[in-house]
């Protein structure tokens, strides 16, 4: 299958699948009061996970996941490097733990997808609005305290396979206020699926590594802890790049 045809097939599936699942979403919402937070999050997560796994199949992506032994029970804050647009579907498809994620507010305008994101407890942010950015920290903390796991990309923008961008410190404040561990995740290869091919979808191998949980030490400053997490992900990313060659 050539790149153009593969792109058309993949994008058509991305757009076309979620509207067919509205009845599933309605049924889940009716059951919400009967389930614990963890049970409901898992039930909601199953459809986006199946959708993401099929997206990877149609894109020709082969995903390799390591480090699942580092996952924990209960809510956690996942922190990952941001290589490409396929990061979210790759992580939803592979990580065996339900989570929401921080997303640009523009995504909330997309019909059907926004409905599922609400149930996943995603947090929306308008990066052009400072108050929105501050509110996103409060919303993230509230979601974590309510028992939902969350994924953040502290770079704020895709590296597209180049060097990682410097992490912003917001995730440190979120973890501290929620009093929860950070689980770092390193990703390599998602930009090969799209960004490195003039945005035409191309088969590629993707590598994801879940690292052990990290905690901010009592005497550790925000900047020092941020740099420690960033370095852990950078080192793991370098190891994965060596494996992918």
């Amino acid at each position: 299958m050539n790149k153009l045809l593969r792109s058309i097939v993949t994008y058509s599936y991305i757009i076309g699948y979620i509207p067919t699942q509205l009845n599933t979403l309605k049924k889940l919402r009716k059951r919400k009061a009967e389930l614990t937070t963890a049970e409901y999050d898992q039930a909601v997560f199953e459809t986006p996970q199946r959708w993401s796994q099929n997206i990877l199949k149609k894109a020709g992506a082969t995903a390799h996941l390591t480090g699942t032994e580092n996952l924990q029970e209960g809510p956690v804050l996942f922190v990952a490097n941001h290589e490409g647009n396929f990061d979210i579907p790759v992580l939803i498809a592979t990580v065996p733990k339900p989570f929401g994620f921080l997303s640009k507010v523009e995504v909330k305008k997309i019909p059907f997808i926004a409905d599922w994101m609400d149930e996943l407890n995603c947090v929306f942010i308008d990066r052009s609005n400072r108050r929105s950015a501050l509110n996103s920290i409060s919303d993230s903390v509230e979601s974590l305290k309510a028992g939902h796991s969350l994924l953040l990309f502290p770079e704020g923008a895709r590296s597209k396979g180049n060097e990682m961008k410097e992490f912003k410190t917001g995730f440190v404040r979120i973890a501290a206020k929620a009093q929860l561990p950070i689980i770092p995740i390193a990703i390599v290869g998602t930009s090969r699926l799209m960004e490195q091919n003039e945005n035409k979808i191309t088969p590629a191998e993707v590598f994801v590594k879940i690292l052990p949980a990290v905690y901010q030490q009592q005497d550790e400053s925000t900047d020092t802890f941020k740099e420690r997490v960033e370095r852990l992900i950078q080192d793991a990313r370098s190891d994965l790049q060596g494996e992918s060659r």
Side-chain angles (χ1 to χ4, degrees):
M1 188 183 299
N2 64 41
K3 293 180 183 179
L4 179 58
L5 180 57
R6 186 178 295 277
S7 299
I8 292 171
V9 169
T10 305
Y11 290 135
S12 297
Y13 178 78
I14 290 171
I15 295 168
Y17 179 75
I18 286 297
T20 69
Q21 300 302 304
L22 282 182
N23 283 336
T24 300
L25 187 59
K26 289 177 182 177
K27 291 177 182 178
L28 283 170
R29 284 171 170 164
K30 288 179 180 178
R31 295 178 56 208
K32 190 169 186 177
E34 306 168 7
L35 304 174
T36 65
T37 297
E39 288 170 341
Y40 185 71
D41 285 353
Q42 183 60 52
V44 169
F45 197 65
E46 288 174 1
T47 294
Q49 188 168 63
R50 184 166 56 250
W51 180 51
S52 296
Q53 289 168 346
N54 287 332
I55 288 172
L56 298 193
K57 287 179 183 178
K58 293 181 185 304
T62 302
H64 306 275
L65 174 69
T66 55
T68 54
E69 69 277 7
N70 295 316
L71 292 173
Q72 299 185 5
E73 293 292 329
V76 299
L77 180 62
F78 290 116
V79 171
N81 63 295
H82 194 15
E83 184 172 315
N85 281 329
F86 270 85
D87 290 342
I88 289 290
V90 164
L91 291 175
I92 290 177
T94 58
V95 175
K97 183 177 180 69
F99 61 86
F101 50 91
L102 197 68
S103 175
K104 295 183 293 185
V105 72
E106 290 81 2
V107 178
K108 202 164 187 178
K109 299 175 183 177
I110 302 175
F112 310 117
I113 289 179
D115 294 309
W116 280 96
M117 290 177 69
D118 282 337
E119 295 306 312
L120 285 171
N121 298 285
C122 294
V123 174
F124 296 93
I125 179 173
D126 180 356
R127 297 191 185 278
S128 66
N129 186 313
R130 179 171 173 75
R131 177 169 291 183
S132 174
L134 292 173
N135 287 342
S136 72
I137 291 178
S138 298
D139 292 343
S140 297
V141 171
E142 184 178 332
S143 182
L144 288 163
K145 285 185 172 180
H148 312 290
S149 293
L150 192 65
L151 166 73
L152 301 182
F153 296 115
E155 290 171 274
R158 295 165 292 155
S159 67
K160 301 181 181 180
N162 299 314
E163 290 300 312
M164 274 174 43
K165 302 177 186 297
E166 183 178 352
F167 280 14
K168 296 176 173 61
T169 58
F171 75 92
V172 178
R173 295 197 292 276
I174 290 169
K177 288 182 178 181
Q179 298 183 317
L180 287 174
I182 289 172
I183 295 188
I185 297 179
I187 307 170
V188 166
T190 52
S191 62
R192 299 172 193 160
L193 288 165
M194 183 176 164
E195 284 81 0
Q196 294 184 26
N197 299 289
E198 299 178 337
N199 291 331
K200 293 184 178 66
I201 294 176
T202 305
E205 287 190 294
V206 178
F207 297 82
V208 177
K209 185 172 185 178
I210 302 170
L211 306 179
V214 291
Y215 301 80
Q216 186 174 9
Q217 298 170 5
Q218 191 169 6
D219 60 347
E220 191 172 23
S221 71
T222 296
D223 285 338
T224 301
F225 184 50
K226 183 265 291 186
E227 290 167 3
R228 180 157 67 95
V229 175
E230 184 177 345
R231 188 164 55 250
L232 285 169
I233 293 175
Q234 178 62 76
D235 290 347
R237 181 173 179 259
S238 296
D239 290 343
L240 291 177
Q241 285 173 327
E243 292 177 20
S244 67
R245 290 192 182 100

